[in-house]
């Protein structure tokens, strides 16, 4: 049986450089203690923020200093845990960091309530008294705008103390699915016994051998079905936490509580669902092409990921993927490419899957550190695109941290996926421009179609699931395993059922989506790909002017509301137009792909 290499067996150059944050855990401990011992200094400002602009500025500066240090402590502990989620000392490190985050939140909880108690006139006078307070003008405007949702200092302190408890469902889910779950084994194409893991699952679904695809599919979901009662309870608790947070702050719904602080209109969410639903016939047309090309009488859920152009399927080692991605992003300019390449060589990236390593991929880091990327790299096109995707996140963070003061360095979730998906679009354009081989071109267009299917359509389906589960829970309905399975199965029937056999096992897929523990996050993949489609088109067609607007967007962090940042870059997400334009692009690609497929018959 093929087994994963142990972490110690992986060459250092393929492991991220967490020692650049703390050379030893003793150094981490010093910062941990320093934050803990500094909390009383922040709390000393309690009840005094209305005294003068100087006092308010001093308090905000003290808070920033603590947040900077705490952020570094937290990301180090988080990434150490994710190296091996079965490592109990790292679990303890992470738990301690989360506990300290909660303490810091409680210590700072008086700040927002005291600020919203200031009159507009008094705050304006504070700006005159203390010119340095200008740094926080936009941040303070955001706080004042949320005045009706801010509670008293006492209530805010209690809410801050609940943060660690409220994150419990997500932590339980991670430990259960990453550390405890064992999915069993299947026989691969060579009849060798291989383990089914998070990282390998999609590669099995991409197998040209249908038996392998079906076995992997059934094996994986058998485990999720076995624990469906536990997983439903964990998810239901997470939804209840979302609803509690919304109610206690006076929001009409948990959806509003997620969107309103970012000044994102609720119509952005509803426009997305409505626009995608109107265009489902285009998805169904693509699925008909897929079924015909695979030569199947019935298209099953485990047939959705296999590449349709087998002769163009090839292994892409990590080094080749790096080289291709760097070349593919040349349109963003020499400086961008040079800084990205330097980052890769500075061990930003933890490359390969190892036992106990957290599944999936993400970009992390803090204002005071280099960016970091967790991968579970597989030697295929999807692995290369994941690399490009996460580098988009990291370069966004790199430019934001380099150009914004700390208060505006954390860009919002609404724009978080734009840079990553723009990277993917530019990579596709580069690859298509490098080959005249019809099979490879078909392969790349198929990959682009799959990106839209799995990002714009599938993530919108996820968003619809989140909307429905939160709506039902807000109306008092219990989120039982049967109900969750039913909601998810019906959505799959709507999105895929016209051309696909919706297998019973897919009803459990909701329980393997970790993003559901960050409520109303997934819709931003769909809005992100829509914005990225528009921006990448501008970059390709306009050149330097569009690149300059785009780089300015990357440098802007959270210095403006997210929809305003995108308008500055050239996209208005408050209208359905970008989503429809992206879907029109998908329809055009389906036309091209279908014509090419008929010519090869």
């Amino acid at each position: 049986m093929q087994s994963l290499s142990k972490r110690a067996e992986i060459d250092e150059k393929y492991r991220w450089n967490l020692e650049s944050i703390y050379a030893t855990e003793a150094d981490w401990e010093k910062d941990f203690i320093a934050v803990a011992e500094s909390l009383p200094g922040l709390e000393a400002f309690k009840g005094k923020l209305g005294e003068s602009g100087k006092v308010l500025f001093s308090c905000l500066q003290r808070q920033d200093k603590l947040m900077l240090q705490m952020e570094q402590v937290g990301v180090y502990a988080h990434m150490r845990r994710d190296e091996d989620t079965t490592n109990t000392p790292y679990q303890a490190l992470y738990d301690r960091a989360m506990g300290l985050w909660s303490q810091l939140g409680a210590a700072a909880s008086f700040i927002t309530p005291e600020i919203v108690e200031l009159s507009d006139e008094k705050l304006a006078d504070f700006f005159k008294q203390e010119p340095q307070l200008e740094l926080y003008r936009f941040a303070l405007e955001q706080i004042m705008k949320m005045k009706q949702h801010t509670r008293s200092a006492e209530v805010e302190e209690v809410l801050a103390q609940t943060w660690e408890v409220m994150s419990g469902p997500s932590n339980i889910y991670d430990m259960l699915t990453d550390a405890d779950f064992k999915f069993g084994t299947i026989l691969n194409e060579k009849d060798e016994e291989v383990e089914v893991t998070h990282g390998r699952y999609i590669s099995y679904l991409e197998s040209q051998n249908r038996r392998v695809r079906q076995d992997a599919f059934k094996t994986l979901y058998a485990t999720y079905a076995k624990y469906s009662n536990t997983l439903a309870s964990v998810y239901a608790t997470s939804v209840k936490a979302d609803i509690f947070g919304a109610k206690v702050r006076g929001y009409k719904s948990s959806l509003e509580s997620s969107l309103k602080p970012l000044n994102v209109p609720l119509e952005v969410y509803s426009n997305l669902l409505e626009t995608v639903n109107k265009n489902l016939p285009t998805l169904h047309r693509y699925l008909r092409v897929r079924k015909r090309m695979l030569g199947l009488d019935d298209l099953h859920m485990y047939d959705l990921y296999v590449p349709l152009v087998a002769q163009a399927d090839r292994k892409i080692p990590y080094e080749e993927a790096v080289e291709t991605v760097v070349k593919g992003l040349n349109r963003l300019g020499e400086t961008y490419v040079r800084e990205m390449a330097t980052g890769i060589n500075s061990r930003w990236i933890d490359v390969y899957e190892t036992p106990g390593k957290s599944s999936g991929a993400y970009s992390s880091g803090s204002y005071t550190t280099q960016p970091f990327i967790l991968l579970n790299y597989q030697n295929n096109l999807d692995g290369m695109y994941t690399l490009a995707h996460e580098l988009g996140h990291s370069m966004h963070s790199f430019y934001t941290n380099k150009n914004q003061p700390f208060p505006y360095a954390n860009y919002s979730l609404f724009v978080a996926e734009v840079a990553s998906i723009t990277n993917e679009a530019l990579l596709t354009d580069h690859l298509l421009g490098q080959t005249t081989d019809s099979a490879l071109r078909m392969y790349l267009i198929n990959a682009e179609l799959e990106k839209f299917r799995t990002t714009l359509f599938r993530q919108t389906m996820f968003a619809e699931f989140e909307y429905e589960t939160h709506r039902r829970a807000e109306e008092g309905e219990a989120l039982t395993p049967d109900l969750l399975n039913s909601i998810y199965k019906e959505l799959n029937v709507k999105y895929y059922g016209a051309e696909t056999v919706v297998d019973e096992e897919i009803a459990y897929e909701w329980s393997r989506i970790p993003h559901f523990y960050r409520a109303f996050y997934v819709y931003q993949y769909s809005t992100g790909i829509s914005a990225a489609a528009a921006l990448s088109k501008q970059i390709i067609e306009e050149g330097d002017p569009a690149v300059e607007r785009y780089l300015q967007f990357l440098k802007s962090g959270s210095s403006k509301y997210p929809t305003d940042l995108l308008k500055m870059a050239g996209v208005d997400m408050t209208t359905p137009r970008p989503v429809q334009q992206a879907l029109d692009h998908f329809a055009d690609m389906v036309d091209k792909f279908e014509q090419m497929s008929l010519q090869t018959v």
Side-chain angles (χ1 to χ4, degrees):
M1 184 178 79
Q2 295 179 1
S3 59
L4 298 173
S5 297
K6 294 180 181 178
R7 185 167 187 84
E9 298 170 347
I10 302 294
D11 193 304
E12 183 183 74
K13 66 182 179 180
Y14 300 120
R15 289 182 277 147
W16 53 19
N17 183 21
L18 297 192
E19 291 76 19
S20 67
I21 307 177
Y22 294 110
T24 67
E25 286 181 25
D27 295 325
W28 179 88
E29 191 72 33
K30 289 177 184 177
D31 270 7
F32 181 92
I33 293 171
V35 173
E37 291 180 345
S38 297
L39 295 182
L42 180 61
E43 293 173 315
F45 286 95
K46 190 172 183 179
K48 301 177 181 179
L49 299 191
E51 292 180 1
S52 68
K54 183 177 181 180
V55 170
L56 178 57
F57 175 74
S58 297
C59 178
L60 294 175
Q61 286 279 285
R62 180 66 65 90
Q63 181 188 34
D64 280 355
K65 182 179 179 181
L66 279 172
M67 290 292 289
L68 274 167
Q69 202 167 19
M70 182 67 242
E71 189 180 67
Q72 185 168 301
V73 165
V75 298
Y76 177 86
H78 176 257
M79 289 187 289
R80 279 298 189 205
R81 184 201 67 164
D82 286 354
E83 287 180 349
D84 182 0
T85 56
T86 67
N87 184 308
T88 51
Y90 286 160
Q91 291 175 22
L93 209 68
Y94 177 75
D95 288 344
R96 290 178 64 206
M98 294 305 99
L100 190 57
W101 264 120
S102 184
Q103 292 176 45
L104 175 54
S109 62
F110 70 93
I111 295 175
T112 295
E114 289 194 28
I115 289 172
V116 298
E117 288 299 316
L118 301 173
S119 66
D120 292 341
E121 294 76 16
K122 191 168 190 178
L123 187 57
D125 188 47
F126 278 5
F127 281 110
K128 294 177 183 177
Q129 293 175 16
E130 180 53 73
Q132 293 185 90
L133 194 59
E134 190 65 32
L135 168 65
Y136 295 100
R137 181 176 288 277
F138 181 60
L140 291 169
E141 287 175 358
Q142 289 176 288
I143 290 172
M144 296 302 283
K145 190 171 184 178
M146 301 306 297
K147 190 170 187 174
Q148 69 181 105
H149 301 294
T150 303
R151 300 301 173 239
S152 67
E154 291 77 14
V155 172
E156 289 291 343
E157 182 175 358
V158 172
L159 291 175
Q161 290 174 349
T162 67
W163 180 82
E164 187 176 6
V165 176
M166 292 300 186
S167 64
S170 177
N171 293 333
I172 292 168
Y173 175 85
D174 288 345
M175 295 307 300
L176 182 64
T177 59
D178 287 335
D180 294 340
F181 273 17
K182 298 295 180 185
F183 298 108
T185 62
I186 62 171
L187 297 179
N188 66 11
E189 296 87 343
K190 299 177 181 179
D191 287 332
E192 299 167 332
E193 187 178 12
V194 292
E195 185 180 2
V196 176
T197 66
H198 287 296
R200 293 175 175 176
Y201 175 63
I202 293 299
S203 67
Y204 295 144
L205 290 192
E206 292 175 343
S207 172
Q208 293 294 326
N209 187 315
R210 200 181 195 199
R211 190 265 307 160
V212 172
R213 302 198 300 266
Q214 184 180 31
D215 288 353
F217 179 82
K218 291 183 177 295
T219 298
L220 184 95
Y221 285 114
T223 300
Y224 283 99
K226 182 179 178 182
Y227 292 95
S228 62
N229 289 314
T230 299
L231 290 165
S233 178
V234 174
Y235 178 65
T237 303
S238 180
V239 172
K240 288 176 183 177
D242 299 332
I243 295 170
F244 169 78
K247 281 185 176 179
V248 79
R249 294 197 177 281
Y251 290 104
K252 295 176 184 178
S253 67
S254 47
L255 176 61
E256 184 186 49
S257 74
S258 178
L259 269 61
K260 192 172 180 180
L262 298 175
N263 204 38
V264 174
L266 291 174
E267 289 76 18
V268 170
Y269 205 95
S270 59
N271 284 341
L272 172 67
L273 299 187
E274 291 170 9
T275 306
V276 169
N277 272 268
K278 287 177 184 177
N279 286 269
L280 286 177
T282 308
L283 174 61
H284 300 157
R285 183 158 61 89
Y286 170 57
L287 294 173
R288 283 198 298 275
V289 175
R290 169 171 281 277
K291 180 164 59 175
R292 175 179 59 77
M293 290 188 67
L294 290 174
L296 300 174
D297 294 328
D298 294 309
L299 187 72
H300 283 257
M301 302 305 292
Y302 48 79
D303 297 319
L304 295 179
Y305 290 88
V306 58
L308 296 179
V309 190
Q311 62 267 41
D313 191 14
R314 60 191 178 89
K315 297 297 181 183
I316 305 175
Y318 175 70
E319 286 80 4
E320 180 183 338
V322 169
E323 183 180 357
T324 304
V325 169
V326 170
K327 289 179 180 177
L329 298 179
N330 272 333
R331 287 185 184 274
L332 296 178
E334 181 182 341
T335 301
Y336 181 98
V337 170
R338 183 181 67 252
E339 290 175 327
M340 180 180 67
T342 299
I344 294 170
N345 293 330
S346 300
R347 294 173 55 204
W348 283 7
I349 306 173
D350 203 77
V351 179
Y352 296 113
E353 183 180 14
T354 52
K357 185 177 176 181
S358 184
S359 61
Y362 64 69
S363 173
S364 187
S366 71
Y367 190 75
T368 55
T369 73
Q370 66 180 48
F372 293 92
I373 294 173
L374 180 139
L375 296 180
N376 285 276
Y377 187 78
Q378 304 293 315
N379 295 326
N380 54 30
L381 188 68
D382 183 63
M384 183 168 69
Y385 271 91
T386 300
L387 171 65
H389 182 100
E390 299 304 335
L391 281 168
H393 286 308
S394 287
M395 290 303 292
H396 194 173
S397 298
F398 175 80
Y399 276 115
T400 290
N401 291 346
K402 190 176 179 181
N403 291 277
Q404 292 296 325
F406 179 67
Y408 307 116
N410 242 337
Y411 52 81
S412 71
L413 294 179
F414 188 79
V415 300
E417 296 303 324
V418 174
S420 55
I421 302 174
T422 296
N423 270 16
E424 293 185 49
L426 295 176
L427 177 59
T428 296
D429 180 72
H430 166 75
L431 293 173
L432 287 171
Q434 294 297 302
T435 182
T436 57
D437 182 87
S438 59
L440 182 55
R441 290 183 67 81
M442 281 189 67
Y443 187 92
L444 294 171
I445 293 173
N446 179 210
E448 185 77 352
L449 287 166
E450 283 299 292
K451 182 177 71 176
F452 273 75
R453 180 183 71 80
T454 58
T455 304
L456 186 46
F457 286 103
R458 188 165 180 257
Q459 298 294 336
T460 300
M461 185 182 75
F462 288 172
E464 210 167 333
F465 174 79
E466 281 196 288
Y467 176 81
E468 189 67 15
T469 55
H470 283 76
R471 181 187 68 80
R472 294 200 184 202
E474 285 166 347
E475 292 175 356
E477 198 166 352
L479 298 182
T480 64
D482 288 344
L483 178 62
L484 293 171
N485 287 352
S486 174
I487 293 171
Y488 198 81
K489 176 77 178 293
E490 288 173 9
L491 285 170
N492 273 273
V493 169
K494 179 170 70 169
Y495 277 72
Y496 294 101
E499 295 296 334
T500 308
V501 176
V502 181
D503 302 276
E504 290 300 321
E505 289 89 348
I506 204 65
Y508 295 97
E509 187 181 43
W510 63 267
S511 62
R512 81 173 189 91
I513 309 301
H515 284 92
F516 286 158
Y517 290 86
R518 298 179 70 181
F520 304 108
Y521 177 85
V522 293
Y523 87 97
Q524 294 164 115
Y525 284 105
S526 300
T527 55
I529 193 173
S530 301
L535 291 172
S536 59
K537 183 179 180 181
Q538 292 171 19
I539 289 167
I540 292 166
E541 294 179 354
E542 296 179 32
D544 289 345
V547 170
E548 182 55 37
R549 291 196 305 270
Y550 177 70
L551 293 179
Q552 191 57 45
F553 159 74
L554 296 185
K555 296 173 182 177
S556 296
S558 58
S559 58
K560 294 182 180 180
Y561 285 116
T563 51
D564 293 333
L565 289 171
L566 287 173
K567 285 178 184 177
M568 177 183 73
V571 181
D572 186 358
M573 291 304 301
T574 63
T575 73
R577 189 166 180 263
V579 178
Q580 186 58 57
Q581 285 180 325
L583 289 163
D584 290 343
H585 175 57
F586 178 78
D588 289 341
M589 287 191 296
V590 173
D591 290 340
K592 292 177 182 177
F593 188 69
E594 185 170 25
Q595 291 169 11
M596 294 176 74
S597 69
L598 291 172
Q599 291 170 3
T600 60
V601 174

